[in-house]
Amino acid sequence: MSRNSAAALREIGRNPLLRVLVDVAGFLILVAALGALLAHNTAALGYRWQWHRVPRYILTVRDGQLHAGPLLLGLGVTVRIVAVSLGVSIAVALATALLRLSQSTVGQALARVYLEAIRNTPLLVQLFFTYFVVAPIVGLDGWTSAVIALSLFEGAYASEIIRGGIVSLPAGQWEAAYSLGLGRRDALRFIILPQALRRILPPLVGQGVSLIKDSALVSTIAIYDLTMRGQVIVAQSFLAFEIWFSVAVIYLVITITLSALVAVMRRRLVGSYEH
Amino acid sequence: MSISSHHDAIITVSGISKTFPNGVRALDDVSVSIARQEVLVVIGPSGSGKSTFLRCLNGLETVDRGTIVVDGIPLDHDRSNRLEIRKEVGMVFQQFNLFPHMTVGENIDLAQRRVRGTSAADARTVSLELLAKVGLEERVDSYPARLSGGQQQRVAIARALALRPKVMLFDEATSALDPEMIGEVLDVMRALAAEGMTMVVVTHEMGFAREVGDRAVFIDEGRFVELASAQRLFDAPREDRTRAFLSKVL
Ligand SMILES: Nc1ncnc2c1ncn2[C@@H]1O[C@H](COP(=O)(O)OP(=O)(O)OP(=O)(O)O)[C@@H](O)[C@H]1O
Ligand SMILES: [Mg+2]
């Protein structure tokens, strides 16, 4: 490298504005290159983009009335499964966390076995096990199987988050509660959990986002969620690029919305500590 | 070692020992009887077992051997006994341990409402009364983070008084405070003692200990080395170890 260009690079490294400009320019060049590559390759594949055919899969107008298209219907199923699984998984997580923190040896052992079993096998296998093995024996439908498998899976990870939040509180909080004559249950309910919640919430939201993404796997047991609808549409219309792109964007919108909502909620919660 | 007359004892400790799971013997065959309205001060070097002794008195620690009886109730594995005793024994910690997510008022209301089942309005009346006593009535709606250390500790004292306990335990209540705030907390403790509250006070404030204590005990390596009237212990210690300790801290 010539002395001049080395000096120029050093100059760029020193100037913060210049550094940002170079950074952004580099990114734009990369995007342009990828775009060109994509355009070139899709052209070579003979792929014809047909974005105008996509909206009808989201919303359709029939008899002058607006109807949800298959993608929106799928989104509805995904949201319902996620909402129910979220509730159940938090209950499972809380129960598991409390068992692990309890004095009961059996309770601790049960919780450990559950955690190890869930964390050391693939979610897809758990889903199949629930749907093809457990469900026929106890008579569950696909939807319930999906909720159970997802709840047990996310609950295992969420329980570690909750346990971490609880044990991170200073022991003095428990001792103050006990010294006032409160029992373990009241101490948890009024002192420990409300404070732990503030620490638990951010990582728990991350787990909720995982739940939304993982819920796509229920399409493998014939549940018409967003992903399954996408698959069906692609099979019928051959709009693979447009539909999978749209499906990805829909997932992205709900996960990002969730994160944003909780960020607002958290600011409120944390704010209330101080005045 | 002298033991005060038994018939008006509110706390009777007989031969308690405590070894932690890591093998540390924190208390070794300790006995003492504390009279109603008595102030017993506990002094000793760091790690000698002062906190452990105090925490055994309200069941925050369990003992391996020996017995503790508080106001006629044995402190054993019976949960309801332990609960009864905790209603009668208030505790103040070095680190205050206020509940940071609750206002000052809520901190003091909580035990009244959950343990005694007092109504919200009645609990708040009592809380305000107690806050007035520690000079912080107007801070009832503040969160603890907004108070100085001295104010937080005074709130913690008010909270410990919420169930109208018969005994108060203080574990180095002023050790975490800036020097200029120690006085306000000691004043509250002094006033409590003057009202006739039975108190067990672990402290490094030797002047205060001598002034407020009826009796004093010097504890070292988990043993009561010397137990005497506070004046006698501070002015004329008999044991070499007590003398050595006092010459270091006075
Ligand atoms: N939970 C515990 N587990 C294990 N060891 C402990 C525990 N609590 C206290 N100890 C040990 O027991 C001994 C007595 O501790 P304790 O806290 O009663 O001392 P202390 O006199 O209050 O000391 P300090 O003046 O530092 O507060 C110490 O050696 C301490 O390290
Ligand atoms: Mg201590």
Side-chain angles (χ1 to χ4, degrees), chain A residues 175, chain B residues 18-27 42-55 61 94 171-172 175 202 204 219 221-222:
Chain A
E175 291 172 358
Chain B
K18 166 83 189 176
T19 304
F20 283 106
N22 61 1
V24 173
R25 163 156 282 207
L27 289 177
V42 181
I43 60 170
S46 177
S48 57
K50 305 180 297 293
S51 297
T52 307
F53 171 67
L54 215 57
R55 292 155 56 84
E61 302 286 359
Q94 182 175 344
D171 192 358
E172 298 194 32
S175 292
V202 173
H204 290 304
I219 181 171
E221 293 180 346

Side-chain angles (χ1 to χ4, degrees), chain A residues 208-232:
Chain A
V209 168
S210 294
L211 174 58
I212 293 170
K213 296 183 295 178
D214 292 341
S215 76
L217 284 180
V218 305
S219 61
T220 58
I221 58 170
I223 289 179
Y224 279 73
D225 74 326
L226 181 54
T227 302
M228 183 64 165
R229 292 286 189 176
Q231 248 170 312
V232 172

Side-chain angles (χ1 to χ4, degrees), chain A residues 171-184 186 189-192 194-195 198 272-275, chain B residues 55 58 60 83 86 89 91 93 97-102 110-111 114-115 141-143 145-146 159-160 163:
Chain A
Q173 292 290 304
W174 285 101
E175 291 172 358
Y178 286 152
S179 75
L180 286 167
L182 297 178
R184 187 179 164 80
D186 273 0
R189 177 171 158 204
F190 294 101
I191 311 302
I192 303 301
Q195 293 184 66
R198 284 152 222 258
S272 68
Y273 252 39
E274 307 301 333
H275 33 78
Chain B
R55 292 155 56 84
N58 70 346
L60 282 184
L83 210 122
R86 283 179 182 160
V89 179
M91 186 163 194
F93 302 86
N97 296 348
L98 290 177
F99 307 132
H101 60 301
M102 295 180 174
L110 183 69
R114 298 304 303 177
V115 179
D141 290 322
S142 304
Y143 281 87
R146 282 303 176 98
R159 183 179 70 177
L163 297 182

Side-chain angles (χ1 to χ4, degrees), chain B residues 135-217:
Chain B
L136 288 169
E137 214 176 354
E138 75 284 1
R139 303 312 296 269
V140 62
D141 290 322
S142 304
Y143 281 87
R146 282 303 176 98
L147 305 183
S148 72
Q151 291 173 327
Q152 290 191 47
Q153 192 60 299
R154 281 145 68 199
V155 170
I157 293 173
R159 183 179 70 177
L161 291 167
L163 297 182
R164 305 288 187 201
K166 295 180 180 156
V167 180
M168 287 284 279
L169 311 176
F170 293 86
D171 192 358
E172 298 194 32
T174 57
S175 292
L177 296 176
D178 292 336
E180 70 270 20
M181 295 171 184
I182 292 175
E184 63 192 69
V185 172
L186 292 183
D187 284 344
V188 171
M189 292 169 65
R190 215 174 260 123
L192 266 180
E195 278 175 24
M197 176 64 78
T198 309
M199 300 179 15
V200 184
V201 182
V202 173
T203 185
H204 290 304
E205 298 288 326
M206 295 302 160
F208 174 80
R210 187 185 177 288
E211 167 206 337
V212 175
D214 294 309
R215 283 191 301 163
V217 60

Side-chain angles (χ1 to χ4, degrees), chain A residues 99-231:
Chain A
L99 270 184
R100 283 206 63 188
L101 294 169
S102 75
Q103 316 285 323
S104 154
T105 318
V106 176
Q108 285 180 21
L110 277 177
R112 285 302 294 270
V113 168
Y114 158 62
L115 289 178
E116 295 303 330
I118 294 290
R119 287 191 301 192
N120 294 298
T121 54
L123 172 56
L124 191 57
V125 171
Q126 294 167 25
L127 192 63
F128 285 168
F129 185 83
T130 312
Y131 184 61
F132 293 113
V133 180
V134 179
I137 297 173
V138 291
L140 302 173
D141 59 9
W143 203 85
T144 314
S145 307
V147 165
I148 289 176
L150 282 176
S151 300
L152 289 180
F153 180 78
E154 305 298 340
Y157 291 91
S159 87
E160 287 298 276
I161 294 172
I162 293 176
R163 193 176 71 95
I166 291 176
V167 299
S168 74
L169 290 177
Q173 292 290 304
W174 285 101
E175 291 172 358
Y178 286 152
S179 75
L180 286 167
L182 297 178
R184 187 179 164 80
R185 192 179 299 199
D186 273 0
L188 266 174
R189 177 171 158 204
F190 294 101
I191 311 302
I192 303 301
L193 287 179
Q195 293 184 66
L197 187 65
R198 284 152 222 258
R199 305 181 181 202
I200 289 169
L201 209 53
L204 211 52
V205 173
Q207 199 57 45
V209 168
S210 294
L211 174 58
I212 293 170
K213 296 183 295 178
D214 292 341
S215 76
L217 284 180
V218 305
S219 61
T220 58
I221 58 170
I223 289 179
Y224 279 73
D225 74 326
L226 181 54
T227 302
M228 183 64 165
R229 292 286 189 176
Q231 248 170 312

